[in-house]
Amino acid sequence: MRKKLGVSFIVIMLIALVAVLYFTAAEKKKYVSFHQFLDDNIPVSSMTLAQSSYILDNSGRSISEISPQAGIRKNLINEEIPQYVKDLFILSEDQHFYEHAGFDLPAIGRALLTNAESDTIEQGGSTITQQLARNMFQSYDKTYNRKLKELLYAYELERKWSKAEILTQYINAVYFANNMYGIEAAANYYFSSKSSDLSKAELSFLASIPNNPTIYDPLKHFEQTKKRQERLISLMEKEGKISSSEAKKMTNEKITLHVQKKTDLYPDYVSYVEDELRSLVSEEKGYAKKITKANDKEKEILSKELDAEVQKLLESGVIIHTGMDRSLQEKAVKAVKSSLITTDVEAAAVVIDHKSHTIGALVGGKNYKKYEFNRSYQAYRQPGSAIKPLLVYGPYLQETGKGVKSTVNADAFCKDGYCPQNYSGQDYGNVTLDQAFIHSYNTPAVRLADSIGLKTAFSYLAHFPFKKVTEEDVHLSSAIGGFTVGMSPLEMTNAYTVFGNNGSFKSSHAITSVTDADGNLLYEWKEAEETVWNKATNDKMRTLLKHTVTSGTAKKANFQAPYLGGKTGTTNDYKDYWMVGLSNDLTVGVWVGKDAPTNLKSIESNAPHLSIWKKILIP
């Protein structure tokens, strides 16, 4: 009975398929609406195969592969696919590929008969076009409903694409086990090579996998995969695609796998690059402006739209070019680890090439793992005296035109109930600006900020992208680092690049550009350079920073160099230690502390922040 029902169903299905074929092929006006229906509901022109994107360092070498959720894929164009591969798939998967209109009725009939016998979906009868449709629409369930959808999708593909386009996309789409999709990703993974560089025997081996990726997984069932390869070679010989001698040679060729793991290096830096990419897309696509004006509900909607935009970009196979310097990154990571071996204290470091305005290195923590809390840009801490060059001394020298040898009172200070003290608790009388700066006296800094006015002082700080600084921070205690939230190590280091550029500031970034696989520019930062203070003021600041390293609070970081300058910062109760400064070419910022602010006076004498800074910069 079940068999009779199955045969009856087959007859009905075949009649329906013939009818569909007839009606959709007709040119009469009354049938045009069906094609219009397909056009409206199956957007073939916008269909693409998601593929991997890559992050490159400043020398153009890959440091990270960002794969779509569906798997790893690297698309090839028609001309890049070896002809031998095309012949292999046509002969093994769909010998009537160039003859049918997307589906093969005799093959479907045979499959339906087999399935009726078993009362299950055992045999597919799918053409290459149907298999491509299945891959592109991600429908793998074995049901008759899925099959009917697949036929419509396949028919539409055949209407809109050439056979060459369909075959190319199929070879890019087909699954090769172990999360690899497409011949190029498979060649990269199993042989650490391009498909164009593989022998015909190796290509035959790869082409054996998609028929049944579970049975022919070469890592688990190498011998079974090899046997299928030999059957494919015999098929190619039988069809006259290769000679008997060539077939014998290919069969005897030893297949040696060289599995290449997914590239995933430098997690500290890569994590930030992925975040920065989102910011770049947000800026370029106008989301940033919209979000600033939106209410909470609108922000949530815009954020989801932005995430979808970024995901779409990454699945298009882009190349993200960065300024990461491998030697600097490795040096910075090593410096942090070696300086904090015996303690549970954490650290972050940022290195910027202030001439090119590119971030060369980022350290998110002592033993940072990808996507963990990245202290280099996600930790906002009180800056302590490290803020003085940007908020107090630079603005004061610019506003007054005075020199570093002019004097300021370093005795006790009180105003409106605010009475800060110097670190030692002592009074020093009148001292030069140089002395007050390099020894990081507090009361002179507050006096200087008060003398030019807090609004004036903060107008200079506004040149720098400190995200958490608000109107609530405009008070005297900010002159010595008392902010409501604080700054991140990246923000501080970024701001200090002003001292390496004659008083002008241009924000630095990790991403230098985003291109497609052919090198066409898609995104790049468009940052304007602006003058914060003049060169004369900047030269005075560089003198103060230099003296701090040679004979002030940062002298433990000193070594022989054409130029070194910096400023230390220690917050109340020794919860944070900072060292931010520069050489001729690089600006480096280091923060040391605990995620949960804790008194760390016990490590003060070891000065790990100075040790890290020095190790990064010393040749």
Side-chain angles (χ1 to χ4, degrees):
M1 181 66 182
R2 188 173 61 185
K3 183 175 180 180
K4 289 181 180 179
L5 287 173
V7 172
S8 299
F9 182 74
I10 291 166
V11 173
I12 294 170
M13 286 287 290
L14 288 175
I15 292 171
L17 288 171
V18 171
V20 168
L21 181 61
Y22 170 76
F23 289 130
T24 56
E27 296 297 330
K28 294 180 181 180
K29 186 176 180 180
K30 61 180 179 179
Y31 299 125
V32 172
S33 60
F34 181 74
H35 280 173
Q36 187 62 53
F37 173 82
L38 292 179
D39 292 341
D40 293 342
N41 290 276
I42 307 176
V44 170
S45 59
S46 62
M47 287 165 51
T48 56
L49 290 170
Q51 59 179 322
S52 300
S53 291
Y54 297 87
I55 299 174
L56 309 185
D57 65 16
N58 63 354
S59 67
R61 291 182 293 172
S62 176
I63 58 175
S64 180
E65 179 180 350
I66 305 173
S67 302
Q69 292 180 354
I72 297 171
R73 178 185 283 114
K74 186 174 183 180
N75 293 337
L76 298 177
I77 60 174
N78 179 47
E79 292 75 17
E80 293 173 322
I81 301 173
Q83 184 60 43
Y84 183 78
V85 172
K86 299 175 185 177
D87 293 340
L88 263 175
F89 279 111
I90 289 173
L91 286 175
S92 62
E93 296 294 327
D94 186 0
Q95 294 188 19
H96 301 289
F97 174 68
Y98 289 108
E99 302 162 17
H100 61 64
F103 41 84
D104 187 340
L105 288 178
I108 292 174
R110 289 192 299 271
L112 288 170
L113 282 169
T114 301
N115 297 336
E117 288 284 353
S118 62
D119 200 29
T120 60
I121 304 295
E122 297 289 347
Q123 196 175 106
S126 295
T127 64
I128 279 176
T129 313
Q130 287 173 260
Q131 291 180 58
L132 174 59
R134 190 185 314 151
N135 273 277
M136 299 194 82
F137 289 96
Q138 299 295 306
S139 180
Y140 296 99
D141 58 309
K142 289 187 176 184
T143 64
Y144 288 115
N145 182 50
R146 189 271 294 169
K147 274 289 181 186
L148 289 172
K149 287 182 182 179
E150 188 180 285
L151 290 173
L152 291 176
Y153 292 145
Y155 177 74
E156 186 71 353
L157 284 174
E158 292 276 351
R159 283 184 64 220
K160 296 296 180 65
W161 287 359
S162 68
K163 289 289 187 179
E165 289 173 319
I166 291 170
L167 183 58
T168 297
Q169 289 293 73
Y170 168 76
I171 293 172
N172 284 326
V174 69
Y175 185 47
F176 284 82
N178 296 297
N179 211 32
M180 298 295 138
Y181 289 81
I183 192 72
E184 190 66 8
N188 294 166
Y189 180 70
Y190 293 113
F191 291 107
S192 298
S193 177
K194 296 179 180 179
S195 60
S196 58
D197 294 332
L198 296 181
S199 69
K200 288 182 178 179
E202 290 170 327
L203 290 172
S204 300
F205 185 85
L206 289 181
S208 304
I209 303 170
N211 182 263
N212 192 321
T214 301
I215 295 175
Y216 301 122
D217 180 345
L219 301 187
K220 296 179 180 177
H221 309 293
F222 183 90
E223 291 304 321
Q224 287 175 265
T225 312
K226 183 68 174 69
K227 287 178 182 178
R228 176 162 172 77
Q229 176 232 30
E230 292 171 5
R231 292 196 295 273
L232 289 182
I233 292 172
S234 295
L235 178 62
M236 294 292 278
E237 178 190 359
K238 179 182 177 182
E239 296 297 325
K241 298 296 182 180
I242 55 176
S243 65
S244 296
S245 59
E246 189 175 11
K248 183 177 181 181
K249 183 180 178 181
M250 289 167 59
T251 300
N252 293 331
E253 182 179 323
K254 184 179 180 182
I255 300 297
T256 305
L257 300 180
H258 297 283
V259 177
Q260 182 183 74
K261 298 297 183 182
K262 178 181 174 182
T263 303
D264 194 12
L265 307 172
Y266 310 111
D268 313 59
Y269 197 94
V270 165
S271 295
Y272 174 71
V273 169
E274 292 186 21
D275 268 13
E276 188 179 281
L277 178 66
R278 189 178 190 275
S279 299
L280 176 55
V281 174
S282 177
E283 192 70 33
E284 286 286 289
K285 292 289 187 177
Y287 286 97
K289 286 184 179 179
K290 292 178 183 177
I291 289 173
T292 57
K293 299 175 183 179
N295 58 40
D296 289 344
K297 187 175 181 179
E298 290 169 337
K299 284 180 181 178
E300 184 178 350
I301 294 170
L302 287 168
S303 182
K304 288 181 179 179
E305 290 178 0
L306 175 57
D307 288 340
E309 188 84 38
V310 173
Q311 188 62 31
K312 181 181 176 182
L313 177 67
L314 289 173
E315 290 184 352
S316 70
V318 296
I319 309 298
I320 304 166
H321 306 265
T322 76
M324 198 204 83
D325 183 309
R326 289 193 183 216
S327 61
L328 269 179
Q329 180 68 27
E330 291 166 4
K331 196 176 186 182
V333 169
K334 184 178 180 181
V336 168
K337 287 184 178 181
S338 64
S339 299
L340 297 171
I341 294 175
T342 60
T343 176
D344 60 348
V345 176
E346 274 294 350
V350 179
V351 185
I352 295 176
D353 183 326
H354 51 244
K355 293 181 178 179
S356 64
H357 304 285
T358 55
I359 299 171
L362 285 168
V363 184
K366 186 166 56 177
N367 295 293
Y368 184 79
K369 300 292 186 299
K370 196 171 184 179
Y371 302 133
E372 287 182 345
F373 179 65
N374 193 316
R375 298 163 187 84
S376 69
Y377 72 98
Q378 293 176 321
Y380 284 82
R381 306 294 288 244
Q382 299 299 314
S385 294
I387 200 64
K388 292 175 183 176
L390 303 170
L391 180 61
V392 178
Y393 284 87
Y396 178 81
L397 292 173
Q398 179 69 18
E399 289 293 315
T400 65
K402 292 186 177 181
V404 298
K405 294 302 180 183
S406 59
T407 59
V408 60
N409 191 326
D411 285 340
F413 173 91
C414 267
K415 184 175 182 178
D416 299 330
Y418 177 60
C419 304
Q421 290 187 327
N422 294 319
Y423 175 77
S424 64
Q426 299 179 18
D427 294 337
Y428 297 100
N430 287 332
V431 297
T432 64
L433 292 183
D434 191 34
Q435 288 176 296
F437 186 91
I438 70 172
H439 296 302
S440 205
Y441 297 153
N442 287 332
T443 58
V446 177
R447 276 193 172 90
L448 294 176
D450 187 47
S451 70
I452 62 172
L454 286 176
K455 287 188 177 181
T456 297
F458 271 87
S459 71
Y460 285 91
L461 202 67
H463 287 283
F464 310 111
F466 290 117
K467 294 180 181 178
K468 305 289 187 179
V469 174
T470 68
E471 287 294 324
E472 295 178 2
D473 292 310
V474 184
H475 45 67
L476 284 173
S477 63
S478 291
I480 56 176
F483 286 78
T484 306
V485 177
M487 290 81 175
S488 72
L490 176 56
E491 286 182 340
M492 289 293 290
T493 311
N494 189 26
Y496 264 65
T497 62
V498 68
F499 302 117
N501 289 287
N502 295 317
S504 293
F505 176 75
K506 179 180 177 181
S507 200
S508 299
H509 297 284
I511 298 173
T512 56
S513 66
V514 180
T515 66
D516 62 21
D518 296 322
N520 299 309
L521 180 65
L522 301 176
Y523 294 94
E524 66 178 350
W525 286 104
K526 297 178 179 66
E527 296 285 0
E529 189 165 353
E530 55 182 318
T531 300
V532 180
W533 41 68
N534 60 36
K535 184 178 182 301
T537 295
N538 202 68
D539 288 343
K540 294 171 190 175
M541 288 304 305
R542 284 174 64 90
T543 297
L544 295 177
L545 293 166
K546 179 180 180 180
H547 290 172
T548 302
V549 175
T550 57
S551 54
T553 57
K555 59 186 176 182
K556 283 187 177 181
N558 192 27
F559 62 91
Q560 191 64 38
Y563 176 82
L564 288 177
K567 185 72 186 75
T568 57
T570 306
T571 59
N572 288 343
D573 296 325
Y574 311 94
K575 293 174 181 176
D576 305 271
Y577 291 95
W578 292 83
M579 173 59 183
V580 192
L582 66 158
S583 66
N584 274 345
D585 302 313
L586 301 175
T587 301
V588 179
V590 175
W591 166 85
V592 171
K594 287 190 176 184
D595 293 334
T598 305
N599 187 304
L600 296 174
K601 184 170 175 55
S602 60
I603 68 169
E604 184 180 31
S605 60
N606 294 330
H609 54 309
L610 300 180
S611 172
I612 294 168
W613 192 85
K614 181 176 181 178
K615 287 176 181 177
I616 292 173
L617 280 174
I618 199 166

